[in-house]
């Protein structure tokens, strides 16, 4: 928080911060561990999903107490990577349908009821999942109402041309922006 506050003061223009979760607490996950391949227990609309959505609100509340606000949150960092990550990585796995239902029934309504004007971003994973992921989530009118844009990572961009992923998604859902949220060089050792 002190570093964020210093950056906000030093910036010549407003900084738009976003947050992206890695994992829920172990007691909420199917594998009973913050690490490894696990999903949220149960299904959208149940106590686990509602509690996880409320964690987002509590996170925003606590940072707001320190005058740090977030422009956006993502529903989950690399939700499909949760199926493939090394066992020591903290993660939650979501399919597109699971993320759609979590957004429509839990996270979207929780954010809408909250005092925060924080936007919601979906996917937050590789663009190879587009446009399929967008069709599943944004094809649902309830979920689409809560989603401002799509968060995309670039690590596997060489596999799928942008016209087949980004452009195709934009044509299908022009009212939802596309934003690269994670990238680095040197990801592949070769």
């Amino acid at each position: 928080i002190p570093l964020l506050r210093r950056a906000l003061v030093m910036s010549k223009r407003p900084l738009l911060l976003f947050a992206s979760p890695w994992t829920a607490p172990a007691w909420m996950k199917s594998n009973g561990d913050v690490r490894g391949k696990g999903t949220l227990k149960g299904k959208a609309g149940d106590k686990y999903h509602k509690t996880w959505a409320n964690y987002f609100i509590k996170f925003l509340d606590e940072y707001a107490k320190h005058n740090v606000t977030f422009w956006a949150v993502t529903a989950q960092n690399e939700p499909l990577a949760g199926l493939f990550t090394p066992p020591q990585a903290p993660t939650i796995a979501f399919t597109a349908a699971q993320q759609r239902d979590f957004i429509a029934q839990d996270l979207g309504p929780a954010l809408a009821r909250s005092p925060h004007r924080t936007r919601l971003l979906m996917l937050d994973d590789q663009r190879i999942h587009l446009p399929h992921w967008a069709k599943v989530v944004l094809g649902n009118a309830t979920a689409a109402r809560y989603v401002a844009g799509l968060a995309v990572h670039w690590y596997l961009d060489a596999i799928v041309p942008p016209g087949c992923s980004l452009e195709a998604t934009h044509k299908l859902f022009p009212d939802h922006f596309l934003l690269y949220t994670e990238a680095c060089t040197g990801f592949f050792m070769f």
Side-chain angles (χ1 to χ4, degrees), residues 69-166:
T69 59
F70 288 83
W71 166 74
V73 294
T74 73
Q76 175 60 36
N77 180 62
E78 296 187 351
L80 279 180
L83 300 174
F84 309 108
T85 58
Q88 297 305 312
T91 186
I92 304 173
F94 277 98
T95 64
Q98 289 168 325
Q99 189 172 85
R100 173 199 63 212
D101 296 345
F102 175 57
I103 289 170
Q105 296 180 44
D106 305 297
L107 185 54
L111 281 169
R113 285 190 307 269
S114 82
H116 307 286
R117 299 294 49 115
T118 305
R119 291 168 176 84
L120 177 58
L121 308 181
M122 56 164 275
L123 184 59
D124 207 17
D125 209 332
Q126 311 307 317
R127 81 170 190 215
I128 62 172
H129 305 304
L130 295 174
H132 167 74
W133 201 281
K135 288 178 184 178
V136 172
V137 177
L138 299 177
N140 177 285
T142 303
R145 181 177 69 218
Y146 295 117
V147 174
L150 292 83
V152 185
H153 297 184
W154 81 336
Y155 305 109
L156 304 177
D157 280 4
I159 296 173
V160 177
C164 297
S165 56
L166 300 175

Side-chain angles (χ1 to χ4, degrees), residues 6-25:
R6 282 179 58 201
L8 290 165
V9 169
M10 293 172 63
S11 178
K12 293 178 182 170
R13 59 183 179 183
L15 294 180
L16 301 177
L17 304 176
F18 80 93
S20 187
W22 280 85
T23 187

Side-chain angles (χ1 to χ4, degrees), residues 149-186:
L150 292 83
V152 185
H153 297 184
W154 81 336
Y155 305 109
L156 304 177
D157 280 4
I159 296 173
V160 177
C164 297
S165 56
L166 300 175
E167 187 176 341
T169 302
H170 177 67
K171 284 181 180 177
L172 289 168
F173 304 101
D175 295 333
H176 292 83
F177 62 83
L178 294 151
L179 177 67
Y180 272 104
T181 55
E182 186 178 318
C184 72
T185 59

